[in-house]
Structures are given as C-alpha cells and as structure tokens.
Amino acid sequence: MKQINFKILMSLMLLAVCFGACKDKEYAIPTASDKLQNDLIKRSLGPNIVGGTIEFAYAAAILPEKGKISSMTVEASIAGATGTYLDNRFFNTNSSGADVGTAVGDPSVTNGKTTTVTYTGNFSASTLRYYYKIPEEARGKSISFTFTAKSSNGETISYQSGPHEIRNMDMALDLVAKDGTDFYLSIADMKLYDANFAAANPDKIDLVYLYRAPTNVTYLHSLVAPTADPIYLPTFTMPTGLKNRTKIVKAFTVRDQQLSRIQYGVFVDDVDLRSKDFTDAPDFAINMKVESGVWVQTADGKYNAYIYVNSVTNTASVKEMKLSIKRLAIR
Amino acid sequence: MKRILLIQFILVLFVVVSCKKDYPMDDDGLLITQRAECYVSSFELLGADFQTVRTKAATIDTTAQTINVEVFYGTDLKNLYPQFTLVVDAVLDPKIVGKVDFSDLSKPKEWTVVSGNRKVRKTYKVFLTVKQ
C-alpha cells in the first residue's frame, strides 16, 4: 500500500513539473536603463602593425528626457601617430547602401594621448568611429584604450579596451616593379631601385624582378636572387657586385588580407615570419602569378619577409608587377 | 539464485566472445585484406606552394614499374611533394612524410607498392624531366 502511495505521489509531482515547464512567459519589452550607457566594437582585424590603423566604433546613449551626450573622449596608453582621430560623424545607411554621415560637433581634437569630440548638436545616442594610427614607439608593446562618454546631466561612463599587442613587423604596400627600369628590390629598405642605384649599392639588392617570354618554357613574371643560375636569368646579365643569395619559397594560398585587401581572412603574423623554414630553399621563383607570393629570407639572415603579388601587367609596352611586403627583423 | 548467477555468467561470456575481432592488421593499423593487386593508378607532384608542377599527366607504366613526369621549367626540384594513388588496400613503402629532394635527376627515386594482402611488392621508379 505504501509503495502504491509513493508511486501516485511521484506521478503527481512529475505531472506538476510538466505543467510548470510548459507554461509560456509573456514577452515584455525590456525597460531601458535610465543611466548613461556605452558599448564598443573593434572594427579592424588582423595583426596591429606600426603605421597601420586600429579602428573602433564607440557608442553611447542616454534617455532623451534624462539628458544629451556632451562629449566622447578616447585615451590611448601610447599617443597615436599623426592621423589619429575620432570621427565627428555617426553613420546611417541610405537606400542605396551608402554610408551617410551626420556631424555631432566639430572635428576631434587630439592632445597627446587624448582625442575628444565635443558635441554641439542635440544627440541622445550616437556611435563614433575612432582611428588610431600606430606610432613607431608602440612597436612590440601593448596598447590599451579608455573610451569615455559624458552627458549633459553630469553622468560619465567608460569602456576599457585592450591590451592590444603591436607587432614587430613592417609593411609596405603597392610597390611597382617595372621590368627594365625599377626592378631591383631591397628587403631592408622595402623599396625598388633602378640599375644605377643597384650598381652603387649592390649589398642592398636582395631580389630582381624580370619579365621574359622565351619560347617553349613559361618564365613571365619572376623574382630571382642575384646569385640565381644564369638559366633563370634569360637575356639578362646581373651587374657585377650583386651577390646576395636570397632564399625564396613560393606560396600560393597565402592571400594576406592586409597585403591583398581582398576578401580572404588570412593574416601573416610575426610568428609566421619568424618560424618559416628556409632549409634547402632555392634562390629563384619563376612564373609568379597574381595572388601568389614568396617567403623570403635575406642572405645575411637579418630579415624574413612575405611578398604578395597584387597584380601583374604584361601589355605590349608595360611589363610590371605590383607587390606588397610584410617584413620582420629576426636578428 | 545460483541458477541466475550461472545464466548471467554465460551471458557475459557470450558478449566477450562476440566482441573479439580477428581481422589482421598491419603495423599502421591498416586492414590486411585478400587483395593481391599491386599497382600505382595515378601520380601527382606538388611544389612548395602546393600547386602542381607537372606540365601534363604523368606516364605510369605498370609493367615496367616506372613513372615518367615532366615538370615546369624553374621548378624547385629539392622541395617537392609526391602523391601516389594506389589500387584498393595497397600501401606505399617507404611512406611519404614530407618534401622529397628530386634534384639528382640521374638517380630516380624509388617507392614500393605493397598489395592488400601484403604478399606482393612492386618497386616503381619515378623519372623526372624538366621542360626545356
């Protein structure tokens, strides 16, 4: 009898749990906080490189009956380079999909580590974009940011971001190698030079860009070290004195987003450059194609670099290759 | 009570016996089967950028046990990744675990195909030529 009572009790309890679990809670619109609020997203992706930009979107809002936004301020732990600013506009997307800006006040004022936009309009909510130009003194260090909003009723709110690690590598974009004119590449300088400079500074030249179209074989756009076998230098005589044996490893799917500025989410970072294995690497890369690249180590072992091919041109009058480089000093 | 225990013991014994597998495996944990076929069905050769370096399909002679492949002018012969496709259940010896140096064209690289039953072994030579 006791066992039966226990079973009935358990069944009733289970039934009660089922009914309770099935009961829907009616949705209610959440009540907005009556305090000043803020939020932040980091818009830029990938490694932070000196000379590059870190981009944020900082939002603040307060109930209109409580007050208006009076200012937004960003304080960086290391003062940004020239070009650091807090955009004084927030943006809406129009029916054509274009961003349309609305100014909230005068352009930002940067004073040392602090950048401020003072509101002059009547805004209770807005999102401003902050562009931090990474200075040389931040190389290899970490940076943090404090975003602060103030409202007309005296409230202040802040948002911390970071630490953000700044990489040791350097980047150079859109160098144009021209066959016959500017085709000597220096990794140390991340620049292309002509024959006169190369003859005067042979130690600086790490790679030579050549365009050739011999019969039977495919050569086209190629990057070769000064020490490359003459069979990889068709109809070209290397100037005397150029002797750097640069190590080259071809790559095809390394479409770094910062170098290519196309849709792929691939980023070459310090660790990739530092750990790249150049054992038995050759000193030539024949028939380079658009969106391909080469990993390079200079003859003195001082620099490892990744060179990405943005575009190639081989019209009747123009033979050239547009290159972008990430380079890390490894010793 | 004793009878129940005996039945349970017999059941456990059945389970243990039924789970025992007696399929033969090789050292790599691959199944040794009854197949005696032993040949290479296709061959690929990739460069350091993991793109093919072949100018055309490799010529595979299963009678002479040779593979002839022509590579592009300017191919870095020291850093190549060969890829073999073999008949079902066959394995390659030695295994390819990384890049292979083909730079000495006078000495063709050799790999042995071992059949599914691991009783037939055929050694293939890979001859490279560079397009000139």
Side-chain angles (χ1 to χ4, degrees):
Chain A
M1 189 63 183
K2 271 184 183 174
Q3 271 190 345
I4 292 167
N5 280 344
F6 179 72
K7 282 179 180 172
I8 291 169
L9 187 66
M10 288 302 288
S11 303
L12 281 171
M13 280 177 72
L14 196 65
L15 211 60
V17 168
C18 287
F19 273 114
C22 293
K23 190 182 174 187
D24 282 335
K25 280 184 182 170
E26 206 165 297
Y27 176 75
I29 296 170
T31 310
S33 164
D34 60 353
K35 305 286 184 194
L36 177 62
Q37 298 176 81
N38 67 353
D39 204 352
L40 180 78
I41 56 170
K42 182 172 178 284
R43 284 169 57 87
S44 52
L45 298 172
N48 303 311
I49 302 169
V50 172
T53 303
I54 309 177
E55 185 185 344
F56 296 92
Y58 179 56
I62 188 168
L63 289 175
E65 57 271 26
K66 293 283 180 183
K68 309 294 172 198
I69 308 284
S70 58
S71 70
M72 278 192 186
T73 302
V74 189
E75 185 178 358
S77 58
I78 298 172
T82 305
T84 295
Y85 71 103
L86 179 61
D87 202 337
N88 63 329
R89 298 167 297 166
F90 65 86
F91 291 89
N92 298 100
T93 308
N94 67 10
S95 56
S96 308
D99 278 358
V100 179
T102 305
V104 297
D106 292 331
S108 63
V109 175
T110 298
N111 188 7
K113 297 175 180 176
T114 306
T115 305
T116 304
V117 166
T118 304
Y119 281 54
T120 53
N122 195 14
F123 299 99
S124 293
S126 66
T127 301
L128 301 188
R129 297 176 186 179
Y130 176 61
Y131 300 87
Y132 178 80
K133 201 84 173 169
I134 303 170
E136 179 59 42
E137 56 265 39
R139 187 186 297 277
K141 297 177 184 168
S142 289
I143 297 179
S144 55
F145 300 92
T146 304
F147 292 79
T148 304
K150 289 182 180 175
S151 60
S152 58
N153 64 349
E155 285 187 57
T156 300
I157 194 165
S158 291
Y159 200 113
Q160 296 283 337
S161 176
H164 300 280
E165 189 190 331
I166 308 302
R167 304 303 198 269
N168 283 297
M169 70 170 113
D170 289 294
M171 185 166 72
L173 300 176
D174 300 334
L175 308 175
V176 180
K178 296 179 179 180
D179 184 51
T181 53
D182 299 323
F183 61 104
Y184 294 96
L185 178 65
S186 167
I187 298 293
D189 295 354
M190 292 204 290
K191 281 186 179 173
L192 285 147
Y193 294 110
D194 61 13
N196 290 334
F197 182 93
N201 303 275
D203 293 344
K204 282 204 165 193
I205 305 305
D206 300 298
L207 290 171
V208 179
Y209 162 72
L210 294 174
Y211 175 89
R212 298 289 185 274
T215 51
N216 295 330
V217 298
T218 308
Y219 187 91
L220 302 180
H221 303 270
S222 300
L223 290 168
V224 290
T227 54
D229 189 307
I231 64 166
Y232 299 124
L233 305 167
T235 67
F236 178 75
T237 305
M238 193 65 69
T240 51
L242 271 67
K243 57 181 187 309
N244 285 334
R245 192 196 181 282
T246 308
K247 293 178 177 174
I248 305 172
V249 177
K250 285 176 98 172
F252 194 71
T253 51
V254 190
R255 288 169 285 211
D256 180 278
Q257 196 179 78
Q258 290 169 313
L259 299 178
S260 67
R261 286 146 285 159
I262 54 177
Q263 72 270 30
Y264 302 102
V266 175
F267 295 95
V268 172
D269 211 332
D270 277 7
V271 67
D272 303 307
L273 291 167
R274 195 175 293 115
S275 61
K276 185 66 187 173
D277 182 11
F278 289 93
T279 308
D280 292 334
D283 55 1
F284 56 88
I286 308 303
N287 189 23
M288 298 290 297
K289 293 173 181 152
V290 176
E291 295 188 15
S292 70
V294 284
W295 299 92
V296 167
Q297 185 173 69
T298 55
D300 57 7
K302 189 174 178 185
Y303 295 108
N304 283 1
Y306 179 69
I307 302 173
Y308 176 80
V309 180
N310 295 93
S311 66
V312 292
T313 308
N314 50 316
T315 60
S317 58
V318 180
K319 317 288 185 199
E320 64 183 34
M321 177 191 272
K322 191 185 279 184
L323 307 166
S324 294
I325 304 175
K326 277 186 174 178
R327 181 205 67 181
L328 178 69
I330 51 172
R331 67 185 167 105
Chain B
M1 191 65 181
K2 277 184 179 175
R3 188 182 290 174
I4 292 170
L5 276 174
L6 186 67
I7 291 168
Q8 283 179 340
F9 179 74
I10 291 167
L11 275 172
V12 169
L13 210 62
F14 267 119
V15 169
V16 170
V17 170
S18 66
C19 290
K20 191 181 171 188
K21 290 178 181 173
D22 55 358
Y23 297 118
M25 302 277 192
D26 66 10
D27 293 342
D28 297 316
L30 298 172
L31 211 56
I32 297 173
T33 65
Q34 303 300 313
R35 294 178 191 274
E37 295 91 342
C38 186
Y39 59 87
V40 175
S41 53
S42 73
F43 180 78
E44 177 60 281
L45 198 56
L46 304 178
D49 55 357
F50 304 111
Q51 301 298 299
T52 188
V53 295
R54 289 181 294 104
T55 59
K56 56 193 175 189
T59 306
I60 302 167
D61 187 332
T62 54
T63 308
Q65 293 164 214
T66 59
I67 298 171
N68 285 280
V69 58
E70 183 187 67
V71 300
F72 289 115
Y73 162 82
T75 296
D76 169 20
L77 300 176
K78 282 197 168 187
N79 299 288
L80 293 174
Y81 297 91
Q83 293 180 339
F84 290 81
T85 304
L86 309 177
V87 66
V88 177
D89 294 343
V91 295
L92 201 63
D93 182 32
K95 289 174 223 158
I96 298 167
V97 292
K99 58 190 182 185
V100 177
D101 183 354
F102 281 87
S103 57
D104 189 349
L105 297 176
S106 64
K107 290 181 184 169
K109 292 282 173 190
E110 294 185 5
W111 280 272
T112 300
V113 182
V114 185
S115 64
N117 62 10
R118 305 293 186 265
K119 289 176 181 169
V120 184
R121 297 175 67 88
K122 289 188 178 177
T123 299
Y124 279 71
K125 286 184 177 179
V126 180
F127 295 92
L128 247 67
T129 51
V130 180
K131 187 173 172 65
Q132 299 292 338

